[in-house]
């Protein structure tokens, strides 16, 4: 039908799991799922070269930040409107920031469109979105565990993650 194989895989998972209850999650199954996600991200990472995405860093980062801001505002509004609670709104807002950009990247790889301008921009958005999600999650964790936000810890984590990603993008392909 011209769809990506990933669409059929997701549909099969939904039908076999929650709909017909043929497959039920257990510890081993959850570990296999986790390994599958890591393997998918590893394949996408091997297809990403820093030189290819360098031209789209600013546009992709702006789009990732804009999308994260809209997702956070939507989640925060839903939490405040439905539950009338700031903490729940904060939690939903941060949860909405974390998206699954591996799915569209995998589909672009299958269709042979990963090396196009759209594919490279989407790869930048995926990396920037992950950085934003890690930063937001660290702020949320600091807020809930410590009752406040430790700015120094948040910035330290942000620059550590950013540095790690830059090192991996720069030297990772050569090492692998």
């Amino acid at each position: 039908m011209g769809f990506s194989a990933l669409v059929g895989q997701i549909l099969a998972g939904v039908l076999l799991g929650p709909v017909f209850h043929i497959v039920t999650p257990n510890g081993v199954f959850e570990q296999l799922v986790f390994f599958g996600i890591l393997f998918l991200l590893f394949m996408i990472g091997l297809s990403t070269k820093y030189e290819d995405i360098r031209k789209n860093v600013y546009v992709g980062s702006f789009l990732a930040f804009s999308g994260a801001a809209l997702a956070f505002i939507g989640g925060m509004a839903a939490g405040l409107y439905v539950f009338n609670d700031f903490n729940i709104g904060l939690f939903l807002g941060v949860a909405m920031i974390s998206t699954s950009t591996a799915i569209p990247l995998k589909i672009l790889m299958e269709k042979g469109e990963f090396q196009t301008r759209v594919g490279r921009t989407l790869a930048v958005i995926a990396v920037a979105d992950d950085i934003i999600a890690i930063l937001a999650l660290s702020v949320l964790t600091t807020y809930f565990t410590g009752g406040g936000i430790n700015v120094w810890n948040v910035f330290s984590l942000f620059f550590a993650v950013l540095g790690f990603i830059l090192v991996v993008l720069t030297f990772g392909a050569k090492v692998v």
Side-chain angles (χ1 to χ4, degrees), residues 72 76 86-98 132-150 154 157:
F72 179 79
M76 184 75 171
F86 177 79
N87 287 340
I88 293 175
L90 192 63
F91 180 79
L92 288 176
V94 171
M96 295 297 289
I97 290 174
S98 300
I132 293 167
I134 289 169
L135 183 63
L137 187 59
S138 68
V139 170
L140 181 74
T141 303
T142 304
Y143 174 75
F144 280 127
T145 58
I149 297 174
N150 186 333
V154 171
L157 179 65

Side-chain angles (χ1 to χ4, degrees), residues 73-105:
I73 290 168
M76 184 75 171
L80 289 173
Y81 179 73
V82 173
F83 299 102
N84 199 24
D85 188 338
F86 177 79
N87 287 340
I88 293 175
L90 192 63
F91 180 79
L92 288 176
V94 171
M96 295 297 289
I97 290 174
S98 300
T99 59
S100 180
T101 51
I103 303 287
L105 289 175

Side-chain angles (χ1 to χ4, degrees), residues 89-166:
L90 192 63
F91 180 79
L92 288 176
V94 171
M96 295 297 289
I97 290 174
S98 300
T99 59
S100 180
T101 51
I103 303 287
L105 289 175
K106 174 69 173 151
I107 292 171
L108 285 173
M109 283 176 65
E110 285 180 0
K111 297 291 183 182
E113 307 258 339
F114 188 71
Q115 296 301 328
T116 64
R117 184 171 189 262
V118 171
R120 290 188 298 255
T121 303
L122 192 57
V124 172
I125 291 171
V127 171
D129 189 50
D130 289 342
I131 293 171
I132 293 167
I134 289 169
L135 183 63
L137 187 59
S138 68
V139 170
L140 181 74
T141 303
T142 304
Y143 174 75
F144 280 127
T145 58
I149 297 174
N150 186 333
V151 178
W152 176 250
N153 288 346
V154 171
F155 279 114
S156 298
L157 179 65
F158 172 73
F159 286 115
V161 169
L162 187 62
F164 175 76
I165 290 173
L166 288 175

